[in-house]
Amino acid sequence: MEPMDIVGKSKEDASLPKATMTKIIKEMLPPDVRVARDAQDLLIECCVEFINLVSSESNDVCSREEKRTIAPEHVLKALEVLGFGEYIEDVYAAYEQHKLETMDSLKGGKWSNGAEMTEEEALAEQQRMFAEARARMNGGVAPPKQPDPDQTIES
Amino acid sequence: MRQAGIYSGVVSGGRSGPHLLPLARIKKIMKKSGDDVKMVSGEAPIVFSKACELFIEELTQRSWTVAMQRKKKTLHKEDVASAVLATDILDFLVNLVSDSNNPLDLAPVERETLVS
């Protein structure tokens, strides 16, 4: 049996770290619920397949825009096209947060872009970028019907 | 404080903090997802990391709903498979979950009850 926890030795073996995945899974569940090992493994495989799916679509989006490098906005567009549009806002927020944190450490702890932004300004900036991203994404494609709170899962 | 099913966002630190999946690993998977994959920007795997987290959360939640309907306290492979079969956007996983499962063995799940 192939040890899935070892970093992929060949191209075929790239998978996601079990420990991190297990943590994410367990946090979604009540504390007294257990997860069978085969269920854990299957969830991880599904996630890898998800990456494959979204990567392919991102690649297509990238080609259609005649770019040579897959950028975050291609991935966001792919998510929307594939029906995972609900993720976009959280994903974008995480991305922006990560950028802020990275810049912070690069500048030795002080986040400065000429003038320091207050939290409100940073939030406003974030909202502005959201709107821009949405406008870009909705540019050539009609936005999918927005789900309402008690949507059915049939598309 | 942990509340099952509620995601409080990575911006505020979430449950026990953001879980960043390893970017190099994600990039590797991306590159082998097709024969003609373009170059991947350094930032794309970051976006994926978050998307994967949300995806796993959703799939886990749906699977758990199935398990509860079957009055079980342990999440099993069949629960994950049922959740996949009952969700349109998870169609791409149908082959993956039925490779090791005989679909006929799965108890039918009402689609309406999986509405979140």
Side-chain angles (χ1 to χ4, degrees), chain A residues 71-126:
Chain A
E73 52 185 57
H74 301 142
V75 181
L76 293 174
K77 179 79 194 178
L79 286 172
E80 176 154 17
V81 166
L82 293 165
F84 297 99
E86 294 178 344
Y87 295 1
I88 289 175
E89 201 138 325
D90 284 338
V91 166
Y92 198 75
Y95 168 56
E96 288 296 310
Q97 174 78 1
H98 188 271
K99 281 207 300 193
L100 282 177
E101 285 169 359
T102 310
M103 277 172 69
D104 204 42
S105 59
L106 282 176
K107 291 187 197 276
K110 198 170 183 192
W111 191 78
S112 167
N113 206 15
E116 278 184 350
M117 266 194 205
T118 63
E119 198 175 82
E120 291 87 49
E121 285 170 339
L123 275 169
E125 178 72 7
Q126 186 182 66

Side-chain angles (χ1 to χ4, degrees), chain B residues 62-75:
Chain B
R62 288 178 181 270
S63 306
W64 174 234
T65 303
V66 173
M68 280 199 292
Q69 286 175 346
R70 295 174 177 163
K71 308 234 191 304
K72 299 201 292 192
K73 292 290 253 179
T74 301
L75 199 66

Side-chain angles (χ1 to χ4, degrees), chain B residues 52-66:
Chain B
C52 285
E53 196 179 327
L54 295 174
F55 174 76
I56 284 298
E57 287 174 355
E58 175 162 10
L59 188 53
T60 300
Q61 190 170 18
R62 288 178 181 270
S63 306
W64 174 234
T65 303
V66 173

Side-chain angles (χ1 to χ4, degrees), chain B residues 28-65:
Chain B
K28 197 189 262 194
I29 299 172
M30 285 176 76
K31 284 191 185 270
K32 73 174 190 70
S33 67
D35 294 323
D36 184 28
V37 179
K38 299 199 180 318
M39 288 189 294
V40 178
S41 83
E43 302 166 312
I46 296 168
V47 172
F48 261 103
S49 176
K50 190 68 204 164
C52 285
E53 196 179 327
L54 295 174
F55 174 76
I56 284 298
E57 287 174 355
E58 175 162 10
L59 188 53
T60 300
Q61 190 170 18
R62 288 178 181 270
S63 306
W64 174 234
T65 303

Side-chain angles (χ1 to χ4, degrees), chain A residues 2-3 6-15, chain B residues 25 28-29 32:
Chain A
E2 284 185 41
I6 296 177
V7 174
K9 299 165 290 212
S10 69
K11 268 186 88 180
E12 313 307 319
D13 283 296
S15 181
Chain B
R25 203 85 73 90
K28 197 189 262 194
I29 299 172
K32 73 174 190 70

